[in-house]
Amino acid sequence: MNARLIAFSGFVTAFVGAGIGFIAAGLFPCPYTSQMYQNLEQKYAFVGAVAGLLIGSSQEIIRELKQERDAEEDLLRDLNKAIHSSTDQKHY
């Protein structure tokens, strides 16, 4: 697996997730004024960044594993064709 590509995908989606969290906090202002509800932009951006990092990295890992599986299946298919073609020639 390409760790650099997985990290890059995770960071890009983390950046996008942070932006979405920051925008969501700005679009939906909180009517409460207690200390827990202060700095919601930062909290939403952090949650969005973590979610984006996890989602982006997971998606890239799944894509890479699928490519490896497809390559293995192609290799097995070619090997199976070679075995069947060599056994078919012996019967004639």
Side-chain angles (χ1 to χ4, degrees):
M1 272 193 259
N2 190 350
R4 291 176 65 187
L5 189 59
I6 293 169
F8 176 75
S9 177
F11 287 130
V12 168
T13 54
F15 182 72
V16 171
I20 290 171
F22 189 74
I23 291 170
L27 289 177
F28 306 110
C30 184
Y32 306 112
T33 58
S34 71
Q35 181 65 28
M36 187 171 76
Y37 296 103
Q38 301 299 318
N39 300 323
L40 279 181
E41 291 88 6
Q42 292 175 352
K43 293 175 184 176
Y44 281 13
F46 180 74
V47 169
V50 170
L53 179 69
L54 293 174
I55 291 169
S57 298
S58 300
Q59 182 180 7
E60 185 61 30
I61 288 171
I62 290 169
R63 190 183 69 80
E64 295 234 354
L65 288 173
K66 184 180 180 315
Q67 283 180 343
E68 287 180 12
R69 185 192 70 201
D70 291 345
E72 289 174 359
E73 286 178 356
D74 289 343
L75 180 64
L76 288 174
R77 191 176 306 116
D78 293 342
L79 181 63
N80 193 19
K81 285 181 183 178
I83 290 172
H84 285 299
S85 67
S86 68
T87 56
D88 289 343
Q89 291 175 357
K90 289 181 183 178
H91 292 294
Y92 292 112

